[in-house]
Amino acid sequence: MKKIIENIQIAIIVLFSIIGFAQDKSSNTVSLDVFYSKIQNEKQPQIIDARGPEEFALNHINGAVNFNLESKDYAQRIAALDKSKPVFIYSIGAGRSVWLANDLLKKGFKEAYSLQGGIANWIGSGKPFYVNSKSKLTLEEYKKVIADNDAVLVDIGSKYCGACKKVKPILETIRTEHGSNLKIVEIDLEENPQVIADLKSIHVFPTLILYQNGKIVFKKEGLNDLKKDVDLALAQK
């Protein structure tokens, strides 16, 4: 019984922490332009990648170090930072980075900024980044797929993105119903970062783009009404 009570207490603490982070989100989450500009103004910017080590190893912002609230050496990593200088944090979206930025501010850091849209926004806008492998798809190949098919639905995301995983079953339903009338292309950050960077128009994961006859019919940031919008567009062909 004592153990159960302790677990309940921990759960309550975590819940209120998350609520607190959400309430403070607007105070430290900044646009890509602001984030990038502030980094450029620093001689040795303190950049933190708040994703997991596997994600970081595949790609990250140049000069970033990798840790988050769950890291075993979290306290030591924080102690190594300069509280008097700004800290720039990003994750896959803006979840873990917001939590980390808030924690730094509570610990007395002068400035801590979370990047709106996370790594998707940085790479998807064409900003410089490190990558450990060559993209499987080039921009030229991407354009050829668009040109060679009457209708193409492109799903751009990451296997580490929770919302991106929810798109997959919807895509399967769309694929089953429309068959050869619709080409579906799935582009993930882990295997195709360069084509995402070359598009220079991706600001969040997932992003869904429907092309017809080489032209964009719609571009959705998120999966809301995806199937409905695809069905409607193809019905009007």
Side-chain angles (χ1 to χ4, degrees):
M1 178 61 72
K2 182 180 179 181
K3 186 65 174 179
I4 294 175
I5 294 175
E6 289 177 350
N7 289 338
I8 292 174
Q9 291 175 332
I10 292 172
I12 292 173
I13 291 172
V14 171
L15 175 61
F16 277 100
S17 296
I18 292 174
I19 292 173
F21 287 139
Q23 290 174 336
D24 291 339
K25 181 177 179 179
S26 62
S27 66
N28 58 41
T29 302
V30 297
S31 68
L32 175 63
D33 288 343
V34 171
F35 193 83
Y36 184 72
S37 176
K38 287 182 176 294
I39 285 178
Q40 294 298 103
N41 289 334
E42 297 292 319
K43 289 184 178 179
Q44 292 183 313
Q46 301 182 114
I47 307 173
I48 299 175
D49 185 313
R51 299 177 298 164
E54 303 87 0
E55 300 168 79
F56 178 80
L58 292 170
N59 52 71
H60 55 259
I61 293 176
N62 294 331
V65 295
N66 177 227
F67 66 90
N68 56 50
L69 290 170
E70 297 178 353
S71 298
K72 293 181 180 179
D73 59 348
Y74 180 70
Q76 292 92 325
R77 293 296 191 99
I78 295 299
L81 298 173
D82 187 340
K83 288 187 176 183
S84 68
K85 295 181 179 180
V87 181
F88 307 96
I89 313 165
Y90 67 93
S91 52
I92 192 69
R96 287 168 287 185
S97 59
V98 169
W99 297 355
L100 181 50
N102 275 282
D103 193 50
L104 293 184
L105 291 173
K106 290 174 182 177
K107 285 179 166 58
F109 279 75
K110 182 179 179 181
E111 298 175 79
Y113 301 101
S114 168
L115 173 60
Q116 183 178 29
I119 193 70
N121 197 6
W122 182 277
I123 292 180
S125 297
K127 299 301 184 187
F129 65 100
Y130 164 85
V131 62
N132 73 351
S133 62
K134 185 178 180 181
S135 289
K136 292 185 177 181
L137 183 72
T138 67
L139 182 60
E140 290 70 26
E141 291 169 336
Y142 176 92
K143 291 179 177 179
K144 188 175 188 306
V145 172
I146 303 304
D148 289 349
N149 294 272
D150 293 336
V152 182
L153 177 62
V154 181
D155 167 33
I156 301 176
S158 165
K159 68 180 182 180
Y160 295 101
C161 162
C164 300
K165 294 177 182 178
K166 295 179 181 179
V167 174
K168 303 308 179 183
I170 299 174
L171 290 180
E172 288 306 310
T173 299
I174 293 173
R175 182 181 281 113
T176 299
E177 293 187 8
H178 292 283
S180 61
N181 292 323
L182 176 67
K183 174 75 172 179
I184 296 179
V185 178
E186 298 176 65
I187 299 176
D188 62 86
L189 177 66
E190 292 68 44
E191 294 187 346
N192 293 293
Q194 192 56 54
V195 71
I196 294 175
D198 290 340
L199 287 171
K200 292 185 174 63
S201 61
I202 307 303
H203 307 296
V204 67
F205 292 151
T207 290
L208 290 304
I209 309 173
L210 178 64
Y211 294 86
Q212 282 186 302
N213 300 317
K215 296 182 179 180
I216 294 178
V217 176
F218 68 70
K219 178 182 175 185
K220 299 173 65 66
E221 294 183 343
L223 51 81
N224 291 339
D225 297 322
L226 175 60
K227 185 178 183 303
K228 177 182 176 182
D229 290 344
V230 169
D231 290 345
L232 181 61
L234 295 184
Q236 296 175 347
K237 284 181 63 177

